[in-house]
Each structure stands twice: as structure tokens, then as C-alpha cells.
Amino acid sequence: MVETDGIGQDSAPGEAAAALKAILQTQYLRYLIITSWALGLLAALGPMTAGLWFVGTLAAGAARGAVEKRISERVGAGWGLVFPAVATVTTAAWAAAPLLAWFSGAPFGQPLALTLLVAGYVLVFAQLRSSPRQALVISSPYGAVAVIIAVSQWGTPLFWPFLAVLPFTAAGLFVLVTMTMMREERIRAFQAHQAHLIEELEAARDKANAANDAKSNFLGIISHELRTPMNGVLGAAQLLSATRLENTQREYLSIIRNSGDNLLSLLNDILDMTKIEAGKMTFETVDVSVEDLHRRVTGPFQAQAEAKGLMFEATYEGDIPATVRGDPLRVCQVIHNLLSNAVKFTDTGTVAYTVRGRKLADRRVAFEFAVTDSGTGISPDDLERLFQPFTQVDASSTRRFGGTGLGLTISRRMANIMGGDITVISELGKGSTFTFAVEAEVVEWAAPKAVEEITAEVEDGRQMSVLIVEDHPVNRMILEAWMSSAGHVSTTAENGQLALDACAEQPFDLIIMDVNMPIMDGLTATRHIRDGAGINAGTPIVVLSASARSEDHAAGLEAGADAYLNKPIDFAALAKMMAHVGEGREALREMMGTGALAQAAA
């Protein structure tokens, strides 16, 4: 709003913005009032005069609206004299209406003029009721019209009645401004009081947060410091249990160890709570095998359930991926707590652990880890305080089970941090179902099949002498290593000529011959071996070909080879073939004819 102390001075930017916002939001009323005034002029002055005034005033109103919108965008910098000047000019267009009506000579012209004059004042002061000086300046065109009318009536019977209307109008405007200023003063006082209360609430909140942080830090430090002597107590108790003790001493020692374990569990829970409250709980993101997670979760509690005579059931339902990304330690901690409670509070019946999976996207899955027991169940009243810290359903001094009541609180907060939640459905006397729901990123939906190891060993365990003819050094190395893994002796040659030289010097049980080689290719070398009368003329030969065409395979067999293999080498087919090398060349050719090698490869 504009201050009353000066015409061109602005009030606080927030109030000025609020004033302009109110004017802009209700400017459509401006055009409604212009239309209503034009209808009054139409009845008294006729369509020509009323139409001209209507068009001129609409144009002035549109210009004023544009200026007000521009001023509102920089209201924080102040509007100076721009707004009063523009508003005064546009008000002059409105003030022309009562002036035209008064001097129209129409029967209803003068009453209409008085009505429009008073209405104009009310409109200006209603809009600027918090800034009377601003309103006086902007309404000055109406004052000028009033003066003109008063002067024109000097010495006539209407002069004094017209002047009598002015105090009446001024009194109404004074009451309007006074009531508005009193109301806004009360609003400012209320706002100041509200701001004071907000400051006090913020200060109280800061103190509460500081106290809570101090409490968490204290508990964290004490819990951490107590772990060191507790480890000493439990360690000494373990060492003492390994010595010779009387029955009574061993019983006392068992009490010490059980109490120490319970205290250490309490310290761990308090540390977890303080870490969560301080936002320092760390979560890893690693690849997790769902099957391994299942074993880690169910293993300990299956044994505990069976020891109590309970049935333990574990099932998978829905879309369960093989590998996901997450924190297996924290997930196990949550599920362990649910399973531990189920086994603890169930005396007879069944504990069921169910993993449900629902595929959300190619790389996203929603898990539900549900733990159902046939235990005592939980009443509706107890469910409301189930996840509150340091609270147990059985709060009596003679309760059967120990514990701090922190487990479910920690588990739920961990679930929330991981983007999930824990819900519970229970019926008193019939059991409960706790469900841990969380989403995860999928690494693999299906586990890769284990590759069956293919060895070069033959059934009778006989060691074979193999000639490997291959120009590529990596292929030679792989074949030689594979043969050596089964204890076979291998000799290598880089081309067909070197293969002939090797065949002339020693006998082989098998020759593996590449086709395309420098100096002498494999088919040529095979023909020389078969045509000669050397010691390897009857040795089984397997040709290696990078071509899968049947005519190339036929060319190898026609050259004297007994079998062929495609590159890259299928070691399953080679191993099957080596198992029948001792049966002679005919056995290999028969295998090729029946497709046995192809079946081995499949």
C-alpha cells in the first residue's frame, strides 16, 4: 500500500505488491462498472453521448491496466509518481460522466450526476482506503467536477442543497477510511504477534533439535565406549569356559555370557538408532545374488524353528531375478529381525518366509519379504505402538521375553531409508504377518548356466601323441594347453611342410590339420601323408576349416582326412572324437556320417 505521508512514496514492497495484485485481480470489475455507468448515461443522454463516453473510458481503463501491470513487475523498486499520475488522468475520464449528466438538461440528469459523483468518490477511496492522501489526489477530477457544478449553481435554489451533499459524502468516506485503517492496524498487530510466536516456535524447535542431537551423540559415544570393556568381559568368559570348572561355576559363567550377549546386542541397537537419527547410517550398493541372500536369511532361523518343534517354510513367488543391486547386510538385518521375532513369539505351528517379486521394468523389481507366524498375534491397540522405540507389546514386569523394543523401530527406519516400508497384519491369538517391501535394480533376471567342463581325457585314460598343425600361434597354444590338461603329448607345426617332416620322424595317434596355411596348405599335406608309405599313413587326421560349406568339408575328406571341425574349434566335438580315435579311421568316418560330432557340439 501507499503511505499516507506522501503522494509519491511507496510503503513496504510487500504491501505495495499486495495492493497492485488486488487491483489487477479485480480490474475486470472496472469494466463492469464502466458498462453500468454507460447504461445510466444512455437513459439520460442518449446513445451518441453515452457511446462516446463508454469508448473513451474503456480506452483509459485499458491504458491504466497496462501501466499497473508493468509497475507490479518492479514494485520492489517503487512506483514513485507514475501510478498516481496515470490513475488521476484515467479518473478524469470517469469524472466526465457526472459532468455530462448534470448539464445534459435531461429530466433525470442532475440526480444521475449526484449519484455518479458520490459513487466515483467511493470507488477511489475503497481501492486506496489505506492511503487517504493518494485517494484525495486520484479523486481530484471528481472534486473539480463538484466545483464546476457548484459554481454553475451559484445564486440558484440548488446551490445550497448541492453543497449539503458534500459533508454527507465526506463523512461516509471518513468512516470508510477510519474503519479500514483500524482493521488493518489490528491485522498488522496480529501478524506481528504471529511472527513473534513463529520465532519462539523456531527457537524451541532449534533447542529441541540440539537436545536430541546431544542425546544421540551421548548415546552413541557411551554405546561405543562400552563395547570395548564388554568385548573384554565376553572374551574372558569364553577363555574361562575352556578351563576346568565345577558345575556351579559353569552355571554362573553361562549367566555371565548370556547377560553379556544381551547387553552387547543392546549396545549395537543403540548405535544403529543414533546413526539413523544422525543420518550417518551407511548403505552399500553391490551386486547381490538372491539365492545367496535366501540362504543367508533362512539358514539360522530354520535351525532355531526346528529346535522349538516348529515348521519352517520358505517359498518364492512371482518374478524373482537372479541378481540385484543393493545392500545385503542391511536387507538381511531387517529380515533377520522379522524372522527372529516370529520364531521367538511362536510356540507351536509354522513360521513361513515368502519372497514375492513383481517386475516393474526391464531393470526394476519390487520385492515383498513376508514373514508369517502362528503365534500369539497382536491386538489393534498394541499395533499402534509397535514401531515406537523402547516399546514392547508385553510391557509387564513379568514378561516372558527380553529385549529393548528397538528392533522393529530400527528395521522400519532402515526400510524407509532404502525406499521401502514394513507393514503388519495381525489377529490376536491367530498370528501375524510382517511384510518388508522394497524396490531394487535388476542386474540379471536369470542366472547364467554353468559351463560344463570339457576335457581331452579318453575313457581308458590312455595318453595320446597328437600332432597339431596350425599356422596361428594363439590357436596352437590353446590346442596344446587343452591336450596337456589331459596328459596328452602334443607336437606343433606351423605349416604343411613342417608337418610332413614331423610325420617322417615319429608316429602319432592323431593329427589335427589346419587347411589354410603358408608354404603348404593342410589338404596338400594330408594327401602326401596318405600317398606315402610313412609311419603315419594310417593315422587318423582331422582337418580344421574356417568354412562351413559342405563342399569344403567334402574336399577335406577326399584329400584323405577322416573328420573335420569348423573354426572356432568345438572342443566338445573334438573330445568325443578323441574318445574313438583308438577304434581307427573307419570309426571316425562313421561318426561323421551319422552326425555324432554335430550332436556332441549341440
Side-chain angles (χ1 to χ4, degrees):
M1 293 296 179
V2 181
E3 296 286 356
T4 59
D5 298 332
I7 301 302
Q9 294 179 347
D10 300 340
S11 63
E15 295 179 354
L20 276 180
K21 184 178 181 181
I23 292 173
L24 290 171
Q25 288 178 342
T26 59
Q27 64 177 330
Y28 67 91
L29 295 176
R30 177 184 303 161
Y31 303 110
L32 180 61
I33 296 172
I34 291 174
T35 303
S36 65
W37 282 29
L39 291 175
L41 291 176
L42 178 64
L45 308 180
M48 180 63 69
T49 303
L52 290 174
W53 179 88
F54 180 69
V55 173
T57 310
L58 277 181
R64 179 178 173 179
V67 173
E68 288 170 347
K69 183 176 182 181
R70 178 171 296 182
I71 290 175
S72 68
E73 296 174 353
R74 57 181 183 86
V75 70
W79 55 51
L81 293 173
V82 176
F83 174 72
V86 173
T88 303
V89 172
T90 56
T91 302
W94 289 64
L99 192 63
L100 291 172
W102 184 272
F103 293 106
S104 65
F108 191 66
Q110 292 181 347
L112 177 62
L114 285 175
T115 302
L116 294 177
L117 193 61
V118 174
Y121 269 109
V122 172
L123 288 173
V124 173
F125 277 85
Q127 274 192 325
L128 298 168
R129 51 190 177 273
S130 297
S131 182
R133 290 191 180 185
Q134 189 102 333
L136 283 173
V137 172
I138 294 174
S139 63
S140 59
Y142 295 114
V145 170
V147 171
I148 292 172
I149 294 175
V151 170
S152 69
Q153 298 302 312
W154 175 263
T156 67
L158 292 177
F159 178 75
W160 293 109
F162 178 78
L163 288 182
V165 175
L166 298 182
F168 167 77
T169 305
L173 296 176
F174 176 77
V175 171
L176 173 65
V177 171
T178 302
M179 294 298 293
T180 299
M181 294 181 69
M182 291 177 61
R183 184 183 64 184
E184 293 190 351
E185 184 63 29
R186 288 195 298 268
I187 291 174
R188 281 194 291 269
F190 174 76
Q191 290 175 340
H193 179 65
Q194 191 177 40
H196 178 67
L197 290 178
I198 291 174
E199 290 180 358
E200 290 184 346
L201 288 174
E202 289 178 347
R205 180 201 61 194
D206 294 339
K207 289 181 181 179
N209 289 338
N212 186 59
D213 292 341
K215 179 263 297 180
S216 297
N217 290 335
F218 172 76
L219 289 176
I221 293 172
I222 292 300
S223 301
H224 189 273
E225 292 300 323
L226 286 177
R227 286 176 59 88
T228 301
M230 278 307 304
N231 287 331
V233 170
L234 293 176
Q238 290 180 5
L239 293 175
L240 185 60
S241 65
T243 63
R244 292 183 179 179
L245 298 174
E246 299 177 358
N247 291 336
T248 304
Q249 293 173 329
R250 192 167 296 280
E251 183 179 351
Y252 292 160
L253 181 61
S254 176
I255 295 173
I256 293 174
R257 291 190 61 178
N258 291 335
S259 299
D261 288 337
N262 292 335
L263 183 56
L264 190 60
S265 177
L266 170 62
L267 295 176
N268 291 334
D269 286 347
I270 293 176
L271 276 176
D272 285 341
M273 278 294 296
T274 54
K275 287 180 180 178
I276 291 174
E277 290 180 351
K280 296 181 179 178
M281 177 67 75
T282 58
F283 288 81
E284 295 182 347
T285 303
V286 297
D287 290 353
V288 184
S289 169
V290 177
E291 184 65 29
D292 291 343
L293 184 69
H294 178 74
R295 286 195 294 266
R296 290 171 60 180
V297 167
T298 59
F301 299 101
Q302 186 170 4
Q304 292 180 21
E306 291 175 354
K308 288 186 66 175
L310 303 174
M311 293 289 294
F312 188 90
E313 299 176 353
T315 57
Y316 280 144
E317 296 179 2
D319 304 316
I320 306 297
T323 308
V324 297
R325 290 188 64 80
D327 190 331
L329 177 63
R330 301 305 180 190
V331 172
C332 284
Q333 187 173 352
V334 174
I335 302 175
H336 277 179
N337 182 267
L338 301 182
L339 286 171
S340 176
N341 288 341
V343 174
K344 180 193 300 183
F345 295 107
T346 303
D347 294 328
T348 59
T350 303
V351 173
Y353 169 64
T354 305
V355 181
R356 302 185 184 94
R358 179 167 54 90
K359 186 176 182 180
L360 301 177
D362 289 341
R363 291 296 177 183
R364 201 72 184 168
V365 65
F367 279 118
E368 285 187 354
F369 302 94
V371 177
T372 303
D373 63 69
S374 57
T376 57
I378 306 170
S379 67
D381 293 337
D382 291 330
L383 282 175
E384 296 180 358
R385 57 191 182 92
L386 186 62
F387 292 97
Q388 296 178 6
F390 301 103
T391 301
Q392 284 195 329
V393 171
D394 179 12
S396 65
S397 59
T398 59
R399 65 189 184 190
R400 296 173 54 200
F401 306 103
T404 63
L406 284 174
L408 284 176
T409 303
I410 293 173
S411 297
R412 191 173 210 178
R413 293 191 182 183
M414 282 185 177
N416 294 153
I417 294 174
M418 289 185 285
D421 197 9
I422 296 178
T423 57
V424 56
I425 300 174
S426 184
E427 186 175 352
L428 196 62
K430 294 187 178 181
S432 309
T433 298
F434 286 80
T435 303
F436 167 36
V438 69
E439 294 183 9
E441 177 187 352
V442 178
V443 178
E444 290 180 329
W445 282 101
K449 295 182 179 180
V451 179
E452 183 180 355
E453 183 180 1
I454 301 172
T455 64
E457 295 181 0
V458 294
E459 293 181 358
D460 57 3
R462 181 171 58 90
Q463 184 186 64
M464 298 178 60
S465 177
V466 182
L467 173 62
I468 301 171
V469 187
E470 169 66 60
D471 63 326
H472 199 287
V474 174
N475 291 343
R476 287 200 309 272
M477 179 188 67
I478 293 174
L479 281 167
E480 189 174 12
W482 188 69
M483 294 292 180
S484 298
S485 66
H488 301 306
V489 178
S490 57
T491 303
T492 60
E494 298 179 12
N495 54 64
Q497 184 59 56
L498 293 177
L500 293 178
D501 296 341
C503 287
E505 295 177 359
Q506 70 176 91
F508 296 102
D509 297 311
L510 175 66
I511 299 174
I512 299 176
M513 181 77 70
D514 188 19
V515 174
N516 297 314
M517 293 181 293
I519 302 177
M520 181 182 293
D521 63 82
L523 297 184
T524 303
T526 300
R527 292 190 189 95
H528 284 300
I529 294 173
R530 293 295 184 226
D531 293 341
I535 54 178
N536 289 292
T539 301
I541 298 177
V542 179
V543 293
L544 302 179
S545 174
S547 172
R549 298 188 308 169
S550 58
E551 53 265 31
D552 293 332
H553 297 161
L557 296 177
E558 290 175 1
D562 303 300
Y564 59 83
L565 291 174
N566 292 325
K567 289 186 177 180
I569 301 172
D570 186 339
F571 286 98
L574 180 57
K576 187 174 183 64
M577 180 205 64
M578 291 181 64
H580 295 275
V581 166
E583 301 174 11
R585 294 177 56 192
E586 294 300 326
L588 294 184
R589 287 181 173 269
E590 184 177 351
M591 289 179 61
M592 292 300 301
T594 58
L597 291 182
Q599 294 176 5

